[in-house]
Amino acid sequence: LQTRLQAGQGYGNTLNCVLTVYRNESVAGFFKGMSFPLASIAVYSSVVFGVFSNTQRLLSQLRHRDSARAPALADVTLASMVAGFVSVGIGTPVDLVKIRLQMQTQPYIKANVKLKPIVPGFPVYRGPIHCFRTVLQKEGIAGIYRGAGAMLLRDVPGYCLYFIPYTFFCGWITPDGCISPNPSSIWLAGGVAGAISWGTATPMDVVKSRLQADGVYLNKYKGTLDCILQSYQNEGLKVFFRGITVNAVRGFPMSSAMFLGYELSLKAMKRDQTETNP
């Protein structure tokens, strides 16, 4: 739904998008492009959270000679920025394939079919591997990383507004005297952080989605700035908030589960390490 609202044509609102997708593509339409992100989400999440945690520990070690010391706000901010920067290297190709698969059957109203002998409305790619290989062959590495600039502008501040609110809310919700937050505090703090992060990241998410969807039939946008200017000139400021409801709503449960899994895994590993090395 997010991709269709941000880069598609003819969807008035979220409900209209849901009904249109169901009417035209049945239930299967809601799961297009899912396999590639599903196969890579474990690697992506482990890298992002691993970079964030290790950067925090490194900064604490450099500043205070104690890697176990609670990080300061500046340390959390810098670690979040590093995690956001690293995430682009993994996330851009995955998002590109997902968006191309989701958008390949959408009618491109302004497409000039003389540029490419492909009929809008019919599948261009047979699956994620075929999509990745086709883009790589026709557009090279630059094609695979199309939209990386917009994703960088989305994820670097986006992860700051992901980890910082989580750290703040976790500390605020956790009762005094507790060494670590309980699962309910983690779940709630993670959900709030996810909703904040995805909600504020929506404008650059729209630009990223449009850049990556662009190219199925022809390249309409020359780059990030050109996409911003064309979108604003054609549809006004409101275009940059398309899909904000979907982003915020999905951000809560997704981030709740992510942070809960992360914190519980850390606790389990620390407990095993203590038992092994008393």
Side-chain angles (χ1 to χ4, degrees), residues 5-6 23 27 30 38 78-79 95 113 121 136 155-156 218 225 233 239 244 264 266 268 272:
L5 285 167
Q6 292 177 344
R23 184 168 57 249
V27 176
F30 296 104
L38 194 63
L78 185 55
D95 272 15
V113 294
L136 187 61
D155 283 3
V156 171
L218 80 160
L225 182 59
Q233 288 169 358
V239 69
I244 189 170
L264 293 179
L266 278 182
D272 290 341

Side-chain angles (χ1 to χ4, degrees), residues 89-130:
I90 303 172
T92 303
V94 174
D95 272 15
L96 179 99
V97 171
K98 179 194 73 171
I99 287 173
R100 290 286 178 95
L101 290 173
Q102 289 173 341
M103 295 300 297
Q104 64 175 334
T105 55
Q106 297 301 291
Y108 203 112
I109 296 173
K110 296 182 179 179
N112 181 356
V113 294
K114 292 181 181 179
L115 296 175
K116 290 187 179 182
I118 300 171
V119 180
F122 289 87
V124 180
Y125 312 111
R126 294 191 295 270
I129 302 301
H130 179 253

Side-chain angles (χ1 to χ4, degrees), residues 188-206:
L188 182 58
V192 172
I196 292 171
S197 176
W198 274 107
T200 53
T202 297
M204 288 314 302
D205 194 42
V206 171

Side-chain angles (χ1 to χ4, degrees), residues 67-86:
S67 60
R69 181 165 177 166
L73 178 60
D75 296 341
V76 177
T77 303
L78 185 55
S80 302
M81 292 174 69
V82 173
F85 185 83
V86 171

